[in-house]
Amino acid sequence: MILETIKSQKITFEQKVVTLARLAEGSIEVLNKSEALKKYIEDGIICDLFEGNAPYRPRYIVPDYDVFMQNGSKFLNLDKPTNIWEAVHGLLILYKHVPSITTMPVYLGNIDYLLEPFIKDESEAYLAIKLFLKHIDSTITDSFCHANIGPKETKAGLIILKVMRELELPTPNLTIKYTEETSDKIAVEAIQTALVTAKPSFANDKIFRDDFKGEYGIVSCYNGLKVGGGANTLVRVRLGALSKLASSKEEFLTKVLPEVSKEMLNYIDERSKFVIEESGFYESSFLVKEGLLEKEKFTGLFGFVGLAECVNNLLGATEKKDRFGYSEAAADLALEIVRSMSSLVQNHKTKYAGEFFGNTHLLHSQVGIDTDRNESPGCRIPVGEEPEIFEHIVQSAPFHQYCPSGIGDIFVFDETYKSNPEAILDIIKGAFETDMRFFSLYSDSCDVVRVTGYLVKRSEMEKLDKGEQVLRDTTILGKGARDNAKALGRKLRSE
């Protein structure tokens, strides 16, 4: 595999370096695993999402970039910025030194708020922000990289949206934090941008702010995490596969699910323990020393996929009317399963989750990976089986309260909505009134599309189909999700 990677002409030099590093890490074993856990992993029921055998940095890192903007960085020999050019270049330099599971930053900050104080001349700011975003797309070649704007309207936010429409680049991913103080002007601009380039998504700011007791960041796909902290690890369970171990829904809820959850939580602890106590990250990183990160604001994520398949399997549901997304019995069972997982996670107290979270890990509705088959992302209705949009929202919303670290649905709108973005804003407002946490959209005519949570370009996937190199490794993942999980076959919403 090492020699094959070295000789490959289908991946870039940078992609080779990352792949070789992962192969090296995978060549050692330092984590304690029970026999039961090994069996779950071998059977594909528990998955650590390719974090490696010796995790040497937290999976998701959410620096408090405000600290940098106020103080600069002694380690990087950077003074605090005083103008728009120093601001964008300072951030670009800092991003180069923010690691994650992808080796690149998964969070860039609330970039409109970071840049707004430096906007004196809007034409100059437009050029600076355009070059800033082009630089990010060309150097952070992984669209799990995520920036935030909002909730308040800013000049910087409007410029960012304009530039993203013009460039149509997949990186960075983008979310607008939406609340009652968000103006309709910037919300409509955000929708118009999303109908061209599949971003931004909309986050229900009030729900996230309540859960995280203040400042939070949307990172990677749609993961909510505490600013100044992050997640040491994300381990997931494939509920569809797990359901096949139970002879009844009662056995699943009382025996099978608690047993796998115990193994999962212990494994999350084991992985977190190595990051915290063995890797030296928290002792050596300048991000910690300079106050951009605090260990107590990190936790672990208990992820799951395949809720729909799990419920359908347990109910023996083959007819549409009996399946998840349509049946009241299926919805009730699904909620019971998610509540059970939430309770199991909350009752697991551990020193490997920070005091900020009450020493507990967080439940996460995971978006899936490129090799998944017969496992829908998190709590989502299987692609192609979605009901009408209002029924879809009402069905999905009750699950969102249980997954503070991330859950969301994706809606594909007909191109005709470009002339009436206000109609989509009304839908989003209605969805958030039902306590939906996160809402993503794009148009059927977009080149940039949202696969499961991250963004890829259709045109880049077509290059892969021809055996050509592509700049971003997420394009490879997107092609897999397209081919294996029909991720681009979502129901089209027409006016």
Side-chain angles (χ1 to χ4, degrees), residues 47-232:
C47 169
D48 63 17
L49 294 166
F50 315 110
E51 285 186 4
N53 293 341
Y56 52 92
R57 69 297 189 219
R59 182 181 181 93
Y60 300 127
I61 292 174
V62 189
D64 186 343
Y65 292 109
D66 285 332
V67 173
F68 170 75
M69 300 303 267
Q70 291 299 316
N71 302 327
S73 170
K74 183 177 180 181
F75 180 78
L76 297 177
N77 194 28
L78 290 172
D79 295 330
K80 63 180 290 186
T82 62
N83 59 55
I84 188 67
W85 295 107
E86 290 178 355
V88 296
H89 280 283
L91 287 171
L92 291 173
I93 292 168
L94 178 57
Y95 294 155
K96 180 68 177 177
H97 300 275
V98 178
S100 76
I101 184 59
T102 68
T103 75
M104 304 172 217
V106 294
Y107 177 68
L108 303 182
N110 236 86
I111 54 175
D112 57 339
Y113 284 21
L114 294 173
L115 298 178
E116 182 72 7
F118 306 100
I119 294 183
K120 308 303 179 187
D121 179 292
E122 289 191 40
S123 61
E124 182 181 31
Y126 166 80
L127 177 59
I129 289 171
K130 187 171 185 176
L131 292 173
F132 173 68
L133 293 174
K134 286 186 74 171
H135 184 111
I136 289 167
D137 181 74
S138 298
T139 58
I140 304 176
T141 54
D142 183 291
S143 50
F144 293 117
C145 170
H146 208 126
N148 298 172
I149 62 173
K152 293 181 180 179
E153 177 187 323
T154 60
K155 292 177 184 178
L158 292 169
I159 292 172
I160 288 163
L161 292 171
K162 179 183 177 183
V163 168
M164 286 191 165
R165 279 201 304 275
E166 292 175 359
L167 297 179
E168 292 189 51
L169 301 173
T171 308
N173 205 334
L174 185 70
T175 290
I176 180 169
K177 299 174 177 179
Y178 184 86
T179 188
E180 290 180 355
E181 66 179 347
T182 307
S183 71
D184 282 358
K185 177 182 177 181
I186 195 167
V188 168
E189 284 286 313
I191 291 166
Q192 289 175 327
T193 303
L195 291 174
V196 172
T197 189
K199 58 184 172 181
S201 296
F202 281 67
N204 191 329
D205 185 69
K206 182 181 185 305
I207 291 179
F208 278 106
R209 198 166 289 278
D210 287 348
D211 284 340
F212 289 98
K213 303 178 183 67
E215 293 304 318
Y216 66 95
I218 303 298
V219 320
S220 188
C221 289
Y222 56 23
N223 309 15
L225 291 167
K226 183 64 181 173
V227 167
N232 286 307

Side-chain angles (χ1 to χ4, degrees), residues 323-384:
R323 293 171 65 80
F324 181 76
Y326 294 87
S327 160
E328 185 176 344
D332 289 344
L333 177 57
L335 278 169
E336 189 173 2
I337 291 169
V338 173
R339 286 193 196 105
S340 295
M341 284 192 293
S342 177
S343 177
L344 289 163
V345 172
Q346 289 177 7
N347 289 328
H348 179 80
K349 299 295 181 179
T350 172
K351 65 179 181 178
Y352 301 117
E355 291 180 4
F356 179 86
F357 299 98
N359 300 115
T360 63
H361 300 306
L362 299 179
L363 191 63
H364 176 75
S365 178
Q366 202 264 331
V367 296
I369 56 177
D370 60 314
T371 55
D372 282 344
R373 287 182 170 86
N374 303 316
E375 297 278 2
S376 297
C379 295
R380 290 183 193 162
I381 298 166
V383 169

Side-chain angles (χ1 to χ4, degrees), residues 3-16 19 460 463-476 479:
L3 188 58
E4 181 183 332
T5 300
I6 289 171
K7 290 184 175 182
S8 175
Q9 298 180 29
K10 294 183 179 181
I11 59 177
T12 66
F13 170 77
E14 290 78 10
Q15 290 162 0
K16 286 183 181 182
T19 301
E460 291 291 294
K463 287 184 180 179
L464 273 181
D465 291 336
K466 298 174 185 176
E468 299 176 16
Q469 284 186 351
V470 291
L471 180 63
R472 304 165 194 87
D473 56 3
T474 31
T475 306
I476 301 168
K479 179 181 182 299

